[in-house]
Amino acid sequence: MSSVPMEMKENTVASSKWLDAHYDPVANLYTFTSCIALADLHGDGENKLVVGDLGTGACNMKLKVYRGTGLLSENTLLDLPTGLVSFLMDKHEPRTPAIAVASGPFIYIYKNLRPYFKFTLPPLEVNALEQDVWSQAKEDMIDPMTLKEMLEGIRDKADIPLSVRSLRFLMLEPQDMEEFVNLHKQQPIRRQTVITCIGTLKKNMADEDAISCLVIGAESRDIYILDPEAFTILCKMSLPSIPTMMDVTGQFDVEFRITVACRSGNIYILRRDSPQPKYCIELSSHPVGLVRMGKNVVVGCAQETLQCYTQKGKKLWTTYLPAPVTTMAMMDLPTRGFQAVLVGLANCEVHVYRDKNLVSTIKTPDVVTSICFGRYGREDGTLIMTTKGGGLIVKILKRTAVFEEKDSVPGPPLAQSIRLNVPKKTKLYVDQTMRERENAIAMHRAFQMDLSRMRLAAARAYVKALESSQTPMSASLSEPLKMNAVVQGLGPSFKLTLNIQNTAACRPVMNLAISFLYDEALYSMRTAFFKIPLLVPGLNYPIDTFVECLTDKGISDVIKVFVLREGKSAPLLTAHINMPVSEGLALN
Amino acid sequence: MGLFDKLAGWLGLKKKEVNVLCLGLDNSGKTTIINQLKPSNAQAQDIVPTIGFSIEKFKTSSLSFTVFDMSGQGRYRNLWEHYYKEGQAIIFVIDSGDKLRMVVAKEELDTLLNHPDIKHRRIPILFFANKMDLRDALSSVKVSQLLCLENIKDKPWHICASDAVKGEGLQEGVDWLQEQIALSNQNDENMRPS
Ligand SMILES: Nc1nc2c(ncn2[C@@H]2O[C@H](COP(=O)(O)OP(=O)(O)OP(=O)(O)O)[C@@H](O)[C@H]2O)c(=O)[nH]1
Ligand SMILES: [Mg+2]
């Protein structure tokens, strides 16, 4: 129906692709896409939702597991989670996946939802000078003030940054320094980095249930690959900047590729054989989300754009978004051969993009902060979203849903990009163009002169009409009137109806009269002059009169109507009525 | 029906054959229910997810049922409609413990009810709110609310809570189905010009 607004239509069409399975606005889940995973934790064919909940502020960090619509279990986390993945770490039966939660410099591994192992990133090299200064302090060779000065000197010059201990010391007030030194001087200095992102990489088989290595990105600009069983570092790679998001594909023993988005706004691509990044994509603004689609990378940028690059860093397309990106995820439905990118936006919408085409829009009650698409419970096409306010939304893709290949973004129609079959230029066309090019000035002048003449003629005619009050609209301000006349009948009798309207806002008009002027040899009128009643503003007054045509020669003439004001000879309004030819015969 | 057939029916010699479609999402317990209704010597020991569909038979006091046990997996659900024409009754099984997929069950039920081969027929539908033994199972009342069963106005329907593993609640449902089929047969016979 054409009366349905476009936006509503779009919304109903889009929402009809999804079934609303569950919505809990107060689920108390505060998380990001990097901390949410779907996994068959119990090996019963029913996938659970595993969430690293950041809680509110610095407390209530939890590892939560959902089954269907309900919370199945909760484990307290010691620190804020930065990433969470599920992976198969061994070949033991039953093949249930382990959960790895990264927080700070640690990875906590859970098996059967029980803590199983804690991995710590190797400490970083400590500045030798710093070490020296502290050992002097340990032997009480220097006082805290000297220690402070020396550390400040190192901080400003050295290549290797200070440890957290020294940095904290430098922040202290003088009276607290002594106590701090005594408390810490016995312990060795350690410099620790933190994990920024985590992913998984199949070890040597591509199967769905193959063992996977953990891949971690650290604040120290390094990428580590860990052995799944021994948790030793299999491989370490360095980046020019700090990694923030990561996509991993391939197999560790064969060939792999790690796409890393960095805090500098660059994306680097690492490969098995090269410890240095192989390719670099320089983005125009910071990356907010990263999804790999086959061999291409789709990046959501801070400048409200979605950009696609090839593996080698060549830009394929850019799509402009209506709002800033909050998060991104991959929508993969292998059973239907469908892949798309899910983009959460700050305007409470989630967009589904297939290549650069928007194929579906989902409106959400709150801004979405994390998205996960996959098999949940026993349903393959489940979309899980958590919101800024801590809500949990579960939607299920309908079995019958089809995504139109066509772009549903309002914009230039498809036809615009179809090339028209324009015929070849004719000789005449070329001659005309030449003439126009050569005589442009003369042609322009001729045109301008004719235009001015036409304007003059129009103005003259208008003045004349005004002077003789020939307009059907009264120009006088005291009697703003409008009139039109209608002739009805076939003849020789005609009915003449004059519709008169007072167009003033509130003032009535009085003392008006109407008179007709006509050829008395052709027409006769019962009354050729009458008075008009008081005209109330806004109302239409139809005034009827009858005209008799006296000739049977098939000729017609004009009857002039004048609206007059009592005591004035110039008419207020004039109308010329072109009488039709009388078609009937007089009976007499 | 000829006099002989009727006589045979009364004497239990020849039972009337009825085709029943057993529908519902995967893992709802369709095969387990059908298995329980079969004579104990014909029952299967372990039940695996159905691939495509399977045809099972069982008898009650007056009827001989042929059941099309359809697979409920998403990729096989488009097979269902090919059997709608043959079906004279429908058993629709719901996993009362699967709250998340209640919307999916409703969606499939609505598609079924709006199918041209079903829409204008007074075909009886028996709902089993199965797995009532599960701790967090929804009651049969709640299930019928979530599926909006009260909106089915032109077909006889009935819902029973059941536990297919123990076989509880199944007999009540089958008795209702038998009654409905008997009723519709009477109507058919009354309407037939003699
Ligand atoms: N607790 C409980 N489990 C049940 C019940 N009924 C069936 N099950 C279990 O549910 C699982 C699935 O049962 P099936 O009968 O194979 O389900 P189905 O509907 O035939 O599934 P598809 O063939 O895949 O469509 C089996 O493990 C059954 O043991 C019940 O009433 N209670
Ligand atoms: Mg089955």
Side-chain angles (χ1 to χ4, degrees), chain A residues 28-37 49-56 62-64 66 77 80-84 326-327 367-372 384-392:
Chain A
N28 213 12
L29 268 183
Y30 301 90
T31 192
F32 299 109
T33 303
S34 56
C35 292
I36 167 167
L49 172 67
V50 193
V51 184
D53 186 351
L54 282 83
T56 45
K62 292 220 166 79
L63 176 66
K64 292 183 176 169
Y66 278 82
L77 292 176
L80 279 177
T82 51
L84 179 151
T326 54
T327 189
V367 177
V368 162
T369 56
S370 79
I371 303 179
C372 182
I384 294 165
M385 298 174 280
T386 67
T387 66
K388 205 171 171 180
L392 173 66

Side-chain angles (χ1 to χ4, degrees), chain A residues 230-289:
Chain A
F231 291 99
T232 49
I233 294 172
L234 293 174
C235 171
K236 178 185 167 185
M237 290 178 274
S238 294
L239 289 167
S241 176
I242 301 159
T244 56
M245 283 174 288
M246 193 161 60
D247 177 86
V248 190
T249 158
Q251 294 155 48
F252 180 75
D253 290 342
V254 188
E255 169 63 58
F256 63 83
R257 191 158 298 195
I258 308 177
T259 312
V260 200
C262 289
R263 211 170 281 160
S264 62
N266 289 356
I267 292 177
Y268 297 98
I269 291 150
L270 298 161
R271 292 177 49 177
R272 179 184 153 81
D273 38 35
S274 58
Q276 292 295 312
K278 185 96 178 149
Y279 300 105
C280 169
I281 303 169
E282 285 180 26
L283 299 172
S284 50
S285 65
H286 277 79
V288 188

Side-chain angles (χ1 to χ4, degrees), chain A residues 179-214:
Chain A
E179 194 189 342
F180 185 88
V181 172
N182 289 334
L183 190 66
H184 292 279
K185 66 184 180 189
Q186 297 304 332
Q187 280 113 37
I189 305 177
R190 291 172 62 88
R191 206 159 66 83
Q192 198 52 275
T193 183
V194 293
I195 298 170
T196 54
C197 50
I198 183 166
T200 59
L201 169 62
K202 297 264 153 68
K203 183 91 193 331
N204 48 24
M205 276 189 294
D207 305 0
E208 191 67 31
D209 61 347
I211 292 178
S212 295
C213 306
L214 290 180

